[in-house]
Amino acid sequence: VVPLPGTGMMFGSPMDAIQTLPRRHRTAVGVGLLFSLAASLPAMTRAPRSGPPLGAHVVAASSVPAPALPSATSQEERPDQVFRRRRGDVVKVIGTVLESSLETVRLDRDGKEVSYPASEVVRIVWGSVPDSYHEARTFLSRGDYENAVARFRSAASDSSARDVVRADARLQAAETLLAWAASDPSRYNEAAAEADRFLTDYPQDRNLPRAQWLRGRALLLSGDAAAAAQTFRSLYEQGTGDPPTPGYDRLLSLEAGLACARASLAAGQVDAARELYGVLEGAFRELAQASEDDPVALAKLLEGQGEAAVGEGWCLLTEGKFDQARRAFERNVDRAELGAGGRFSARLGLAEALFSKGELRPAQFAFAQVSALDYTSRDRVGEALVGLARTTLELADPEAKASARRWLELARDSFGDTPAAAKAIEMLAGL
C-alpha cells in the first residue's frame, strides 16, 4: 500500500503517487448529471474531448512500487531479491542486503560484496524478516489496517531484525496509517508522526524521499497546509538543487514542487505559490525535452507542465480576483498542449470562478464535467463533487438536499484520501 500525491499521489502522490481515477469512481451519478445538465442547457456546448481515452491510466509520478509479500517465513534464512534497471531491462539480483542508502545498495552474494547505485534499484523483496512483518503483510492484504500497523511497528522495533528491514517496516507502518486515515481521519496526524520518526531514525535510507512525500501528504490531509508546504518544499529543493542531493529523483522533486504550490495556496501563501508555478512550468518543459525517448516519464512531465501553466489562475482565484481568474482559466480550458491534467485543472478553476461570481448553472455544469470525466487526479474529482454539492444547494434545485448529500457522501467515502473529504464531512454535518 503506497499513498499517491495528488497525487496524490497516494499521494497520494508521488505523492499521492499517485494517482489515476479507477472506473468505479467515474460514477453513474456524475455521468448522469453531466448529460442531464447538457440536455437542459442547449446554449452550452460540451468541451471537445482530447487526450487519452476514458479509462486510460496515467501513473502518478510519485508512486513507488510496494514491496511484494515475501514467500518465506522468518524461521528460514532466505536471501533478498533486489530488482535493478540494467540497459533498459529490470533484472533480479539475489543476495543479502547490507546497506540501502540514498547513494548505494550493497549486498552480500555468497561471501562477495557487490554494490549498485541506489538510482538503479526499483524494488527490494526481503527474504529473512520477523514473523511480525509477515503477519503485517497478511493483515494488510485483508484491509485490516489496525493490526497491520501494530505488526509493522513490532517488526520495526525487533532488535533481531536487520536494520534495513526495520527501516522498511517503519515506513510501511506510516503508509498503512495513511491508508487507514482515508476512513478514519484522526490517523493523519499519526501517519505524519510515524513518517517523521522514519526520517529521524533513517536519515540516509534509500526511501527518504518517499517518506518525505508521505509526511507532507499526511500533514496536508490533517489540515496543516503550512507544514505540508514546508515538507514538500524541502523535497523539491533537495531534488532540484545544483547538484541535486544523491538519491532524489528529479521528476518526483518537481511533483513535490507542485504539491508545495497547492499546499501554499491552501495556507494562503499566494506569493510563494506564484513563484513556484512560474519556475516549475519551465523546469517541467526542460526535463520533458530531455525525456522524449521515455514515453511514460514524458507523459508525467507534460501533465506537470500543464498544471503549472494553469497555476496563475489559481493564484488569482485565491486572491479573490475572480474576473481575472475566470479569463485565465478560459484561455486554458481547451488548450490541447496542456495535457488532460492541465485542462481539467483549468475547468475546475473555471467552475470555482463562476461560482464565486454567482453564475451557478454554468458552474454546476463545469463541476459535473470534472467529477464525471477527470481520470488524472483524485484530488480534483473530490473537489468537484464538493463544488457540485455547494452549487446545487445554492440553486435550490428539486431534490437539491438529497443530491448534495449523495455527492458529499461519495466524496467522504470514496475520496477520503483527498483534501475534499474534510470539506464534505463539515458540509454533511450542516445538512
Side-chain angles (χ1 to χ4, degrees):
V1 175
V2 178
L4 303 176
T7 241
M9 214 334 123
M10 237 324 0
F11 329 24
S13 265
M15 54 239 326
D16 214 255
I18 208 260
Q19 277 219 115
T20 61
L21 179 63
R23 288 186 181 275
R24 65 189 178 89
H25 289 136
R26 293 195 293 274
T27 62
V29 173
V31 174
L33 176 69
L34 175 60
F35 287 109
S36 66
L37 284 173
S40 65
L41 298 170
M44 302 182 68
T45 58
R46 263 175 286 163
R49 274 202 26 81
S50 57
L54 288 177
H57 289 285
V58 180
V59 181
S62 57
S63 61
V64 181
L69 178 63
S71 58
T73 70
S74 61
Q75 304 306 315
E76 305 174 26
E77 288 298 324
R78 302 279 299 216
D80 304 314
Q81 301 172 46
V82 176
F83 295 84
R84 60 181 285 254
R85 296 185 186 89
R86 185 182 181 188
R87 301 190 184 97
D89 295 323
V90 175
V91 297
K92 180 170 69 174
V93 181
I94 302 297
T96 300
V97 174
L98 305 173
E99 175 188 352
S100 179
S101 69
L102 284 166
E103 296 191 58
T104 303
V105 172
R106 182 168 54 90
L107 60 157
D108 182 321
R109 301 191 69 190
D110 297 324
K112 180 182 179 181
E113 286 192 15
V114 295
S115 298
Y116 305 108
S119 59
E120 294 181 2
V121 175
V122 178
R123 183 178 62 163
I124 298 175
V125 178
W126 305 109
S128 298
V129 295
D131 287 338
S132 53
Y133 186 100
H134 287 296
E135 292 165 0
R137 298 292 295 175
T138 300
F139 282 120
L140 186 58
S141 69
R142 298 171 182 169
D144 185 345
Y145 297 127
E146 182 175 6
N147 278 306
V149 168
R151 298 307 192 281
F152 277 132
R153 282 173 166 166
S154 177
S157 302
D158 191 331
S159 59
S160 69
R162 290 174 290 159
D163 198 48
V164 288
V165 173
R166 291 201 301 272
D168 181 82
R170 178 67 63 198
L171 183 57
Q172 290 207 56
E175 290 176 340
T176 305
L177 280 164
L178 192 60
W180 186 7
S183 56
D184 181 0
S186 67
R187 302 293 169 181
Y188 282 125
N189 283 323
E190 198 175 349
E194 197 76 26
D196 198 44
R197 182 172 179 180
F198 175 91
L199 294 168
T200 300
D201 291 349
Y202 304 101
Q204 292 300 314
D205 190 89
R206 184 175 66 93
N207 287 316
L208 202 70
R210 175 173 155 188
Q212 284 178 278
W213 182 282
L214 191 154
R215 181 177 186 271
R217 185 69 178 178
L219 288 168
L220 178 67
L221 295 174
S222 74
D224 194 346
Q230 289 179 348
T231 299
F232 284 128
R233 181 174 286 278
S234 175
L235 176 52
Y236 163 69
E237 290 176 345
Q238 285 175 286
T240 58
D242 187 18
T245 302
Y248 280 77
D249 177 74
R250 185 168 175 80
L251 175 56
L252 173 60
S253 297
L254 291 178
E255 289 276 339
L258 282 178
C260 179
R262 291 191 293 266
S264 296
L265 287 179
Q269 302 165 357
V270 179
D271 289 343
R274 179 172 278 122
E275 180 183 1
L276 269 172
Y277 279 129
V279 172
L280 286 167
E281 184 178 2
F284 273 111
R285 183 187 301 111
E286 180 183 343
L287 190 54
Q289 291 169 350
S291 306
E292 292 182 349
D293 58 345
D294 185 344
V296 175
L298 181 60
K300 297 172 185 176
L301 289 162
L302 292 176
E303 288 293 320
Q305 179 186 336
E307 184 173 344
V310 179
E312 176 59 19
W314 286 100
C315 292
L316 291 168
L317 190 68
T318 305
E319 291 174 326
K321 299 175 182 178
F322 304 125
D323 289 329
Q324 292 173 260
R326 175 179 178 172
R327 289 193 291 271
F329 290 129
E330 286 176 336
R331 286 195 299 269
N332 289 301
V333 76
D334 291 324
R335 283 180 59 194
E337 65 269 26
L338 289 185
R343 293 194 302 276
F344 279 123
S345 180
R347 191 166 296 279
L348 179 61
L350 178 59
E352 293 286 0
L354 290 168
F355 179 85
S356 298
K357 292 293 292 180
E359 299 182 42
L360 300 180
R361 191 65 70 186
Q364 185 188 45
F365 185 66
F367 280 127
Q369 285 181 305
V370 177
S371 69
L373 300 177
D374 189 353
Y375 55 90
T376 65
S377 169
R378 288 176 54 78
D379 281 8
R380 270 196 296 273
V381 173
E383 292 291 344
L385 287 167
V386 172
L388 195 51
R390 282 191 287 122
T391 310
T392 302
L393 289 171
E394 286 287 327
L395 283 165
D397 286 336
E399 303 296 324
K401 198 168 184 178
S403 296
R405 180 177 294 279
R406 186 162 62 251
W407 294 318
L408 292 171
E409 287 175 348
L410 181 61
R412 178 196 64 192
D413 298 338
S414 295
F415 295 86
D417 59 339
T418 74
K423 300 175 185 177
I425 291 171
E426 184 178 354
M427 286 184 67
L428 282 166
L431 281 182

